[in-house]
Amino acid sequence: MISAIFSCGALLLSLLFAQSTEVQRPYAKRAVVSVSRPATEVGIRILREGGNAVDAAIATAFALAVTHPQAGNIAGGGFMVVAPHGSQGNFADAKVVDFRETAPAKATASMFQPGDSVRTTKAVGVPGSVAGMEMAHKKWGKLPWAQLVEPAVNLARSGFPVEKSLAAALNKVLPETAKSHPEFHRVFSKPAGGVWKTNDELKIPELATTLEAIRDKGAAGFYTGPVADRMVDEMKGSGGLISHSDLAGYKAELRDPIRVKFRGYEILAAPPPSSGGVCLALILGMLETRQAKQGDRMGVDNLHFLAESMKRAYRERARWLGDPAFAPLPPELLSPDFAARLASTIRMDRATPSASLAGDIPLAPEGDSTTHLSVLDGDGWAVSMTTTLEETWGSRIVVAGGGFILNNEMGDFNWVPGRTDKLGRIGTAANQIAPGKRMLSSQCPVVVVREGKVRAVTGSPGGRTIPNTVAQVLWNLLEWDMPARLAVETPRIHNQWFPDQIRMEGATSPARIELTKALLKRGHKVVSSPQGDAHTIWVDAKGQIWAAPDRRIEGAAAGE
Ligand code: DON
């Protein structure tokens, strides 16, 4: 059976399969890539003003909270991989800032029923973004903090041109929120009424005031004082659990990256509580058991093997992964032997049914948005950051008077303890809700290094599809030697163990239909679906910097 998930598929496919005629030129020194042109421009300006990659990433992230508010945020969370160019050129100092949200102190494992809405205050995790940016700045920043927040204040206060993807997202969400989320509707509606068009001006003055508090007082301006009061007030009478002590007690964590070796490169990736690095280690580990560049990259054998690798990796994700303070990562999961053992169970002639991989995970009887930015500075430092509100527009709750949207990240916990089913709900213990616990993420920002130099910076939105998107961009770049633009544009597939199916971009298009039929013949179910938005930087062997914004949503590069 072939089905299409999104009705906008036809438009997307025409974009995907049209051969890009735009002439690309490499940069020599530095580059910033993000989903939004004004935010990318803030990043490159900070580099020109003498900031390093960390400064530029922080400023770009604050700007995204204004110009791409459907995912950019101050009340969400994420992961930032920082690769400072160590004195030995070995990136031994690389770290990951984990600014993932946490469950409030009053949260319990059984606080949600399967049908509960994720657009309520109860679904909001204690936000991590502002604490994460402050931690990164204290450790590595060169420019003053206020200089990094100021551009976002100006964008929110003076207004900015609405980009195409934002206009479309606003026009879709506003009618849905008129009754359910009136503050959202008030803040984001066009002052003169009517639909948003590209280049209309949007001002968010209350967000500017909140950003001023962050600019002047740092994270304390968000987690304490009037902004914190507003967030706690928002919880009242609506079942929300976040208290003043949850906010004041939030801490970002500094973690060691997971280091994945693949075809002579080293990939620095986010560790738990993100599943990104572990999934990458497993998928790329399985791919590496095969001869390099075997067959046709988009041929049925390669896609079958890739999908079977993904399925096995996501089974391990469900079994083991969660906040490492509650569910420690078994170290053997990262060994090449473990990946090789999983790879040895793949049959080339036939898909393995997902249910048969469940093992000791009991199965119940049958019954967008995030954003990524990449920065490379003139000193060879790289920052790869993914940040999210969970769903597109998060909980849709705009804090009254604060002008910012609350995340709905509690939805990333395993909601119903014990219930793992074939629809893709996971109920394993590792990621059940507990007070103060970080919910499991799929965010997968990475920096790739080789012989003391940064070679790639990438990551993507897309929920559980993220590690698979990143694995394919890396596979394209590191094994198939594709130019950056092609590595990003090549159609992607996704398998997440359950549902037991492959999602493939353009599965029903004339260009892919024979491939889809061949996968069906091997026993896969195939659905058509767009996937990810991987804003990528690639540095070739000559040191030329290729910035490849992903055009699936929107994207803008700047450099020199
Ligand atoms: O952290 C995670 O894995 C999810 N909250 C990410 C959600 C996401 O990417 C949705 N956007 N497209």
Side-chain angles (χ1 to χ4, degrees), residues 100 368-370 388 390 409 412 441-443 461-463 466:
R100 184 68 164 160
D368 326 84
S369 186
T370 303
T388 186
E390 164 49 5
E409 219 73 57
D412 275 358
S441 173
S442 299
Q443 290 167 77
I466 296 171

Side-chain angles (χ1 to χ4, degrees), residues 93 219 267 343 383:
D93 299 340
I267 299 153
V383 172

Side-chain angles (χ1 to χ4, degrees), residues 205-557:
E206 286 141 340
L207 176 58
T209 304
T210 301
L211 286 164
E212 279 162 359
I214 295 169
R215 177 196 64 194
D216 298 340
K217 299 202 174 76
F222 180 80
Y223 291 97
T224 60
V227 177
D229 292 346
R230 288 185 194 286
M231 280 191 272
V232 173
D233 281 352
E234 202 63 55
M235 301 291 132
K236 287 184 187 145
S238 62
L241 301 180
I242 295 177
S243 67
H244 277 290
S245 70
D246 287 322
L247 292 170
Y250 180 85
K251 285 200 173 37
E253 298 280 349
L254 199 62
R255 302 190 188 273
D256 289 328
I258 285 182
R259 290 174 181 262
V260 182
K261 299 270 189 340
F262 182 68
R263 307 274 188 222
Y265 294 87
E266 185 168 45
I267 299 153
L268 312 175
S274 181
S275 59
V278 175
C279 286
L280 266 191
L282 293 171
I283 295 164
L284 295 179
M286 284 181 252
L287 288 175
E288 201 161 36
T289 62
R290 308 188 84 208
Q291 187 199 319
K293 295 191 194 171
Q294 195 174 315
D296 168 9
R297 163 65 181 81
M298 288 301 288
V300 65
D301 282 343
N302 273 329
L303 294 192
H304 168 79
F305 188 89
L306 179 61
E308 290 293 298
S309 304
M310 292 169 171
K311 188 185 284 182
R312 283 158 177 79
Y314 277 71
R315 187 265 177 212
E316 300 308 316
R317 177 191 189 277
R319 172 73 180 81
W320 300 107
L321 300 187
D323 181 339
F326 294 76
L329 175 67
E332 63 270 20
L333 237 61
L334 297 177
S335 86
D337 286 354
F338 188 86
R341 273 205 307 281
L342 290 182
S344 71
T345 67
I346 297 175
R347 282 181 58 167
M348 282 311 288
D349 62 331
R350 200 76 204 144
T352 309
S354 291
S356 72
L357 298 173
D360 58 354
I361 302 176
L363 294 182
E366 201 67 29
D368 326 84
S369 186
T370 303
T371 192
H372 178 81
L373 65 98
S374 297
V375 183
L376 180 67
D377 72 17
D379 293 325
W381 287 41
V383 172
S384 185
M385 189 196 314
T386 310
T387 182
T388 186
L389 287 165
E390 164 49 5
E391 290 190 319
T392 303
W393 304 112
S395 62
R396 301 185 175 184
I397 297 164
V398 171
V399 171
F404 63 93
I405 301 170
L406 295 171
N407 71 78
N408 56 356
E409 219 73 57
M410 292 292 284
D412 275 358
F413 277 117
N414 295 351
W415 269 32
V416 186
R419 188 182 176 93
T420 299
D421 64 25
K422 293 180 181 175
L423 296 174
R425 278 185 288 252
I426 307 292
T428 49
N431 187 36
Q432 283 169 17
I433 302 175
K437 188 172 175 181
R438 288 162 138 79
M439 56 294 281
L440 182 63
S441 173
S442 299
Q443 290 167 77
C444 193
V446 297
V447 174
V448 180
V449 298
R450 186 171 188 159
E451 290 153 10
K453 295 218 163 57
V454 168
R455 296 297 301 275
V457 191
T458 191
S460 178
R464 263 190 254 179
T465 65
I466 296 171
N468 288 336
T469 294
V470 175
Q472 286 164 93
V473 172
L474 293 178
W475 194 32
N476 294 341
L477 287 171
L478 310 184
E479 177 169 324
W480 293 92
D481 302 323
M482 286 187 196
R485 172 71 63 84
L486 187 61
V488 166
E489 286 180 356
T490 295
R492 300 174 183 141
I493 68 164
H494 172 69
N495 183 302
Q496 59 174 45
W497 183 39
F498 285 116
D500 188 353
Q501 67 185 21
I502 294 177
R503 283 162 64 166
M504 178 162 67
E505 290 184 314
T508 51
S509 72
R512 297 266 101 75
I513 194 70
E514 288 310 314
L515 183 56
T516 299
K517 285 183 189 158
L519 286 166
L520 293 171
K521 229 167 132 189
R522 293 230 181 150
H524 296 280
K525 184 181 169 206
V526 180
V527 300
S528 186
S529 165
Q531 184 175 325
D533 192 43
H535 303 298
T536 301
I537 294 173
W538 168 246
V539 185
D540 66 22
K542 291 190 240 156
Q544 303 186 105
I545 301 163
W546 298 89
D550 196 329
R551 307 296 164 91
R552 284 166 174 80
I553 296 178
E554 192 138 14

